[in-house]
Amino acid sequence: MSSPNSSIESVLVENRVFPPSDAVVKAARISGMAGYEALCAEADKDFEGFWARLARENLQWTKPFTRTLDESNAPFFQWFADGELNASANCLDRHIGTPTENKTAIIFEADDGAVTRITYKELLARVSQFANALKAHGVEKGDRVLIYMPMTIEGVIAMQACARIGATHSVVFGGFSAKAVHERVIDAGAVAIVTANYQMRGGKELPLKAIIDEALATGGCDTLRNVFVYERTPTACNMVEGRDKTFAQALAGQSTDCPPVAVGAEHPLFILYTSGSTGKPKGVQHSTGGYLLWAKLTMDWTFDLRPDDIFWCTADIGWITGHTYVTYGPLAAGATQIIFEGIPTFPNAGRFWQMIERHKCSIFYTAPTAIRSLIKAAEGDAAVHPARSDLSSLRILGSVGEPINPEAWMWYYKHVGGERCPIVDTFWQTETGGHVITPLPGATPLVPGSCTLPLPGITAAIVDETGNDVANGAGGILVIKRPWPSMIRTIWNDPERFKKSYFPEELKGYYLAGDGAVRSADRGYFRITGRIDDVLNVSGHRMGTMEIESALVSKTDLVAEAAVVGRPDDLTGEAICAFVVLKRSRPTGEEAKQIANELRNWVAKEIGPIAKPKDIRFGDNLPKTRSGKIMRRLLRSIAKGEAITQDTSTLENPAILDQLSQTN
Ligand code: PRX
C-alpha cells in the first residue's frame, strides 16, 4: 500500500454547492437531509433490525429468514442465511399479476438503430424458456456458467436464466481475450458457455464465438460440456458438433414455463472477475439475498425510481455496473430500462443525446470517461452537442466508475441536465455490489467532484494505516467498518486472498476498499482520491499493473523485465505506461516504435485491447534499490513527465532515469 497522501496533493477547494430544489425534495422518496438522517439513525440504533426490515419489505422470500447477520466466522459474513428466495423470481415473477406485467421491461436499441421492446411478461417467458434449455443440457443448481455476450436482451436473459435455476453465472466482458476467457473457464470450473456468433459495435461485426473456440482449443477446460450460441447476425460461425448449439436449437421445444429454484440467501448468484494487485484476476463472489436487496434498494434510494421512469445505465453487462444496474436492480424494481448495443460515437457522437430524446429517458447513468469524450466531440462539432437534442425528459443524472473532475461535472450538469437534474456521483466497486457512497437526489446538496455521504447503514470512514479515524480535511484510507448485505462474500477458490486483500489485520477488521479518500472540513463529504494499491482505472475499467506486467514478460522471446504504472490522462482518467527491458539491446527511433506496437498488440491478445499501454519506454534496466526492488514512485514521476525530486540515493543505477524519460 503506497501512502494515500501522494494522491491528495491534487485536492482542490470546491466551493460550489448545488442543493436540490424544493420541488425535487418534496417529491423524493428520501426527502431532504431529514429523510436521509432518519434512515441513518434507524441503522445506528438497531443495525440488524434496520436491514431485516428492508430485506422483508423489498424482497419476496420463499422461506423467511430468522437470523439477519451472522458474524461468527468473520470476515466471511452471512446475511439472512436461513432464508430462501430466487433472484429471477424477484425480478420477474413478482410483477406478474400486477400492472407491471404488461409494462415494457427493456427498450433495446441495436447498433444500427433498430428498436425492440419486451414486456415483463414476455421477458419472464423467454428467461424461463432459456432456463429450461440450460436444464435440458444438464446445467444444475450450483453449476457455473460463463457468459460472453454482447449488450442485448439475450445477455440479460442468459444471466436471469442462470439465476432462475440456481446456476452461478460468470460474465466476461466481450472485449476480453481468449486467454482471459480460458483462465476464467478453468478457475470457475464452468460447465457451459453462453455466447453469440458476433457482436455489432460501431457498424462493425466483431467475432465472439471465434474467441471462445480459441479459448477452448487451449485445452484444460475439462468441466465444459456445452456452448450456446446466440445468432446475433446472419453470418455463420464455426460450430463444434456435440458441444455447440445455436439458441434456436437449444430452445426448440422448450416450455416457456420454468419454476424458479429456491436457493439459500448466501447461494452464489454470480462470480465476477476483477483486477487486484497481483497478476491473477480475482473471482469476486456475490450472494443472492443481500446482493439483490441492495440492487433493488439503491434503485429506489439513489435513483429515486418512480413507476413512469425510463432508466438508462450505459454500462456493459460484463462489468459490475451492468450486473447491478442493468440485469438485476431495474428489473427487481419494475423499471423500464434502455439497453444499448453500440458505442456512444456511432453513427455520431450525439448518439446518447439522440437516444435520450427518442426514448424519453428520465434517469441517465454513465461514466466520466464517456462524458469527457462527448464534451470533446461536442466542442468540436455543434451537430453532436446535447443542445441539439430535446433532453427535457431527464430528471436525474448519474456518474460511476472513476472520479468525475469538476469541469466535466459542471458540463454534465449544465448541458445535459439543464441545471435542473441532480447528479448522483456514485462511489462503489465490484466488491461492494452496489452504491456505497453517493448523494441522494432529493436530499443531498451536491458538490462537484464529491460522492458526498455514505448510504444509510454503510459505515464508511477514513482511517490511517493503523485503522484509527483521521480528522476531516486529512487524507487517509477508505474503509467500511461494519459488514453490509451486498458485500463480496469471498474470492472464488481463494478465501485466504479474500481475507488478506480486504480485511488486513492492522485495520481492525474493517473492509479495505483500496482507495484513498478525504472528507471535507465543512460538510464531512467524501472525495475519492484514487487507488492506493497497484490497481489502475483507465476509462473506468479496472486493471492491475501486475496483470499487464505479467502479460508483457510472457513475451519471453523479447521481454526481460517490465514495470507498469499509471499516469493522469485528461480523457481516460488514467493511462497505462509501461517500462520495458528487452532481452536484446535497447531500441531507439523507428525500431522502438515498431517494437512498442508489437508489445501493445501482444497485451491486447493476452488480456484485451483495454489493457494496451499508451506509453511504452525502453531502458537497459529499471530503477532499482540496491536490494533489487523496483522504485515505482520514480517511474510514476517519469510517466507524468515530472522532474525527479524524490530521494534517489538508494538507487543502484541513477543514470537509468534519463534513459526512461525519453518517449518513443
Ligand atoms: O477507484 C474506485 C473507482 O473504481 C474502483 C472500482 O472499480 P470497479 O470494481 O471496476 O467498479 C467500478 C464500478 C462501480 C473504485 O475502487 N470508482 C468507482 N466509482 C467511483 C470511483 N472513484 C471515484 N468516484 C466514483 N464515483
Side-chain angles (χ1 to χ4, degrees):
M1 213 153 41
S2 68
S3 161
N5 291 323
S6 55
S7 47
I8 289 165
E9 286 156 16
S10 63
V11 168
L12 40 107
V13 182
E14 181 56 73
N15 294 318
R16 291 169 289 198
V17 181
F18 299 83
S21 71
D22 289 347
V24 168
V25 171
K26 224 167 141 199
R29 210 181 268 267
I30 299 180
S31 178
M33 287 308 275
Y36 166 72
E37 280 154 13
L39 282 167
C40 293
E42 184 190 343
D44 260 1
K45 199 162 153 237
D46 177 9
F47 190 69
E48 288 193 33
F50 170 75
W51 291 115
R53 172 179 77 76
L54 293 168
R56 289 190 184 108
E57 286 174 6
N58 284 280
L59 297 179
Q60 293 187 345
W61 298 87
T62 46
K63 180 173 168 240
F65 59 90
T66 59
R67 187 150 184 210
T68 303
L69 170 62
D70 181 352
E71 299 186 81
S72 59
N73 188 25
F76 300 93
F77 300 103
Q78 300 210 329
W79 286 91
F80 321 118
D82 63 347
E84 288 182 4
L85 76 170
N86 178 280
S88 159
N90 269 279
C91 292
L92 301 170
D93 308 58
R94 73 184 299 166
H95 304 303
I96 303 305
T98 79
T100 309
E101 71 174 9
N102 292 316
K103 183 174 173 178
T104 300
I106 298 173
I107 303 170
F108 172 68
E109 183 164 315
D111 190 57
D112 66 3
V115 175
T116 316
R117 289 185 167 74
I118 182 167
T119 65
Y120 273 90
K121 212 172 179 176
E122 290 162 345
L123 187 60
L124 171 61
R126 292 194 53 196
V127 166
S128 299
Q129 199 182 22
F130 193 65
N132 280 329
L134 290 174
K135 278 203 295 195
H137 288 84
V139 180
E140 290 177 359
K141 177 177 171 184
D143 283 345
R144 273 83 55 208
V145 175
L146 189 132
I147 297 177
Y148 192 63
M149 285 287 269
M151 278 302 281
T152 45
I153 295 175
E154 287 70 16
V156 173
I157 288 176
M159 295 167 79
Q160 285 280 346
C162 288
R164 196 157 187 87
I165 61 170
T168 299
H169 58 69
S170 183
V171 185
V172 178
F173 173 61
F176 276 120
S177 67
K179 182 152 186 266
V181 170
H182 180 250
E183 281 167 7
R184 286 156 176 75
V185 169
I186 291 185
D187 191 72
V191 300
I193 294 177
V194 185
T195 188
N197 57 346
Y198 293 90
Q199 60 178 335
M200 292 302 303
R201 284 173 73 80
K204 293 199 196 89
E205 190 179 45
L206 306 171
L208 281 178
K209 173 61 167 45
I211 295 170
I212 295 296
D213 287 345
E214 189 187 334
L216 297 180
T218 316
C221 302
D222 305 332
T223 49
L224 204 279
R225 294 190 298 266
N226 291 290
V227 179
F228 300 95
V229 185
Y230 165 54
E231 292 172 295
R232 172 65 193 92
T233 70
T235 316
C237 68
N238 175 50
M239 296 291 283
V240 175
E241 184 74 39
R243 185 195 74 184
D244 303 350
K245 282 112 209 145
T246 63
F247 263 41
Q249 288 165 343
L251 291 169
Q254 294 300 338
S255 155
T256 53
D257 183 27
C258 173
V261 173
V263 299
E266 284 296 317
H267 183 73
L269 180 61
F270 64 88
I271 305 164
L272 182 59
Y273 287 85
T274 189
S275 297
S277 45
T278 71
K280 192 174 180 278
K282 310 186 264 203
V284 172
Q285 179 181 320
H286 276 288
S287 71
T288 301
Y291 171 79
L292 200 66
L293 168 63
W294 207 228
K296 155 79 168 62
L297 204 57
T298 47
M299 286 299 297
D300 290 344
W301 284 0
T302 312
F303 297 118
D304 190 34
L305 190 79
R306 295 181 195 158
D308 55 352
D309 272 317
I310 309 284
F311 179 80
W312 184 14
C313 165
T314 66
D316 192 282
I317 52 166
W319 310 112
I320 189 68
T321 310
H323 280 61
T324 310
Y325 299 108
V326 176
T327 301
Y328 291 107
L331 297 180
T336 295
Q337 71 171 317
I338 299 166
I339 294 185
F340 175 43
E341 176 179 41
I343 56 172
T345 49
F346 178 81
N348 60 59
R351 181 78 181 255
F352 275 3
W353 323 131
Q354 293 147 18
M355 282 183 62
I356 290 171
E357 173 176 341
R358 187 151 50 244
H359 303 300
K360 303 260 176 297
C361 172
S362 58
I363 306 174
F364 179 66
Y365 189 36
T366 196
T369 293
I371 298 166
R372 285 191 294 263
S373 73
L374 296 178
I375 294 176
K376 210 170 148 201
E379 283 174 352
D381 178 4
V384 298
H385 197 281
R388 283 292 175 94
S389 300
D390 175 2
L391 305 183
S392 58
S393 56
L394 286 172
R395 95 186 165 82
I396 293 170
L397 300 176
S399 170
V400 58
E402 45 179 329
I404 179 162
N405 47 309
E407 301 73 40
W409 195 102
M410 286 306 304
W411 188 91
Y412 195 29
Y413 186 72
K414 198 164 163 206
H415 296 289
V416 182
E419 299 183 24
R420 164 188 92 247
C421 307
I423 298 178
V424 288
D425 174 0
T426 59
F427 169 82
W428 60 295
Q429 312 175 293
T430 304
E431 294 86 343
T432 66
H435 308 147
V436 284
I437 309 180
T438 176
L440 298 173
T444 321
L446 306 170
V447 170
S450 166
C451 52
T452 74
L453 296 168
L455 284 172
I458 300 293
T459 52
I462 303 179
V463 299
D464 63 18
E465 265 137 19
T466 54
N468 291 315
D469 287 321
V470 302
N472 287 358
I477 299 166
L478 180 64
V479 297
I480 301 178
K481 291 187 171 177
R482 298 208 63 185
W484 68 101
S486 68
M487 69 193 300
I488 174 177
R489 291 305 195 261
T490 187
I491 294 175
W492 183 260
N493 276 342
D494 205 346
E496 273 313 304
R497 188 174 176 197
F498 166 73
K499 279 205 264 188
K500 264 202 223 125
S501 309
Y502 302 111
F503 297 93
E505 268 166 34
E506 62 276 18
L507 292 185
K508 304 181 173 172
Y510 301 158
Y511 167 81
L512 171 69
D515 282 286
V518 58
R519 299 185 74 159
S520 64
D522 51 353
R523 294 171 182 269
Y525 276 9
F526 287 72
R527 199 168 63 77
I528 307 300
T529 51
R531 299 286 308 194
I532 51 172
D533 53 10
D534 297 316
V535 169
L536 304 181
N537 193 327
V538 182
S539 301
H541 297 151
R542 180 165 156 184
M543 254 162 302
T545 53
M546 300 264 282
E547 231 176 311
I548 306 167
E549 286 166 10
S550 315
L552 285 166
V553 297
S554 72
K555 185 141 185 56
T556 48
D557 56 332
L558 194 60
V559 177
E561 221 178 344
V564 168
V565 299
R567 66 163 165 77
D569 184 279
D570 283 347
L571 208 59
T572 56
E574 262 186 307
I576 303 168
C577 187
F579 296 89
V580 176
V581 181
L582 296 180
K583 285 187 171 163
R584 39 150 292 176
S585 61
R586 174 173 171 264
T588 53
E590 268 314 303
E591 199 192 8
K593 281 205 180 95
Q594 196 193 324
I595 297 179
N597 258 340
E598 191 183 333
L599 291 178
R600 273 190 202 101
N601 293 335
W602 175 264
V603 173
K605 187 111 189 76
E606 287 289 295
I607 305 175
I610 53 171
K612 277 186 182 181
K614 187 161 182 183
D615 267 8
I616 297 188
R617 317 256 181 112
F618 298 103
D620 294 324
N621 208 331
L622 295 173
K624 289 183 189 154
T625 60
R626 290 195 180 87
S627 59
K629 198 166 171 269
I630 298 173
M631 295 180 75
R632 286 169 185 278
R633 60 187 172 86
L634 293 179
L635 291 177
R636 277 192 278 269
S637 296
I638 295 174
K640 277 194 217 169
E642 285 174 358
I644 305 283
T645 52
Q646 296 104 323
D647 176 18
T648 54
S649 58
T650 54
L651 201 58
E652 161 96 46
N653 46 355
I656 208 73
L657 299 179
D658 279 345
Q659 208 181 55
L660 292 172
S661 300
Q662 291 163 32
T663 48
N664 297 304

